[in-house]
Amino acid sequence: GQNIDQPTEMTATEGAIVQINCTYQTSGFNGLFWYQQHAGEAPTFLSYNVLDGLEEKGRFSSFLSRSKGYSYLLLKELQMKDSASYLCAVRDRGNDYKLSFGAGTTVTVRA
Amino acid sequence: DTEVTQTPKHLVMGMTNKKSLKCEQHMGHRAMYWYKQKAKKPPELMFVYSYEKLSINESVPSRFSPECPNSSLLNLHLHALQPEDSALYLCASSRAGTGGVNTQYFGPGTRLLVL
């Protein structure tokens, strides 16, 4: 099984940077996903990491260190619309269909 | 196009009712999923269909019955539900098979209230 930890809540100011950490323990790692979910809406895919390093997509970047069981999602130039829950999800080797989700980090962006 | 559609958006049903949730995708994905999500909790996997065959059933009560009539459609039949089954039900789809990224794309969900 998986044990995935993320902070519950984070608050930041518009225009600032926020880093959401995710740590995991798995018997066989096979990829980590980040999703954004606005209240009452579906999760939307943000990024995928399977190898160590940084993946950049516009204002969002995601980093992975497999040896440390650690990932982070970096949100730059925060906008009010970035206020949402951010879910870290880990896939285990041996089952490509099963994602284990963290509890999610609620980010609130203040003016 | 990464769109997964779900109907209805909202559903209120009594404990003796029978209803169905529907999900559709036209991305050519051969894996489709049902998740249940309670407020302020992460999605919980219920079922996975791979190439139209049930691949995973996460010990879901039999009052939830999935069906995959073809590669684009996924249904969830509901019967004799309990109030605690009230939740957001999310459908997702992805490519199937091993070795790929197989990102799951979610539909907007059906918000279900059981009275």
Side-chain angles (χ1 to χ4, degrees):
Chain A
Q2 312 277 2
N3 186 16
I4 302 169
D5 288 314
Q6 320 177 219
T8 305
E9 292 180 339
M10 302 183 76
T11 301
T13 306
E14 202 173 9
I17 297 173
V18 71
Q19 177 175 314
I20 307 169
N21 296 326
C22 171
T23 58
Y24 63 88
Q25 295 173 318
T26 176
S27 52
F29 177 82
N30 191 24
L32 186 145
F33 297 81
W34 284 97
Y35 284 87
Q36 179 193 61
Q37 187 174 26
H38 286 99
E41 298 182 12
T44 55
F45 169 70
L46 290 178
S47 69
Y48 169 74
N49 296 73
V50 68
L51 299 177
D52 292 350
L54 189 68
E55 294 283 340
E56 295 188 84
K57 269 189 185 182
R59 295 189 297 114
F60 294 179
S61 304
S62 58
F63 172 84
L64 176 68
S65 168
R66 288 171 295 170
S67 62
K68 294 182 180 175
Y70 168 69
S71 173
Y72 68 72
L73 180 70
L74 195 69
L75 315 180
K76 297 181 233 179
E77 301 169 19
L78 278 173
Q79 301 176 9
M80 300 299 285
K81 67 179 181 180
D82 298 328
S83 293
S85 179
Y86 292 84
L87 298 161
C88 171
V90 176
R91 184 170 61 196
D92 209 1
R93 193 176 298 128
N95 194 325
D96 278 356
Y97 301 128
K98 194 165 177 179
L99 292 181
S100 295
F101 284 87
T105 298
T106 299
V107 172
T108 302
V109 180
R110 294 189 173 158
Chain B
D1 180 13
T2 56
E3 189 178 26
V4 177
T5 59
Q6 290 187 243
T7 55
K9 289 187 179 177
H10 301 275
L11 179 62
V12 180
M13 61 186 290
M15 290 188 282
T16 58
N17 292 158
K18 283 185 183 181
K19 296 285 185 184
S20 296
L21 310 185
K22 298 186 182 300
C23 174
E24 189 168 7
Q25 56 88 16
H26 294 288
M27 294 180 275
H29 290 167
R30 301 301 295 277
M32 296 186 77
Y33 310 73
W34 280 115
Y35 286 87
K36 173 183 177 180
Q37 187 176 27
K38 298 282 246 182
K40 299 190 185 298
K41 298 287 187 184
E44 296 175 22
L45 183 64
M46 300 173 72
F47 303 103
V48 181
Y49 273 82
S50 171
Y51 298 102
E52 296 85 68
K53 292 197 168 107
L54 186 63
S55 175
I56 297 176
N57 177 342
E58 290 287 273
S59 303
V60 179
S62 60
R63 58 186 184 268
F64 295 92
S65 175
E67 178 198 18
C68 189
N70 61 52
S71 60
S72 300
L73 293 174
L74 185 67
N75 298 323
L76 186 63
H77 302 297
L78 313 173
H79 174 55
L81 294 194
Q82 304 296 310
E84 59 264 29
D85 296 322
S86 299
L88 181 66
Y89 287 84
L90 295 163
C91 174
S93 73
S94 76
R95 291 182 179 174
T98 58
V101 179
N102 295 356
T103 300
Q104 293 182 27
Y105 295 95
F106 287 83
T110 293
R111 190 159 297 283
L112 174 67
L113 177 61
V114 182
L115 300 176

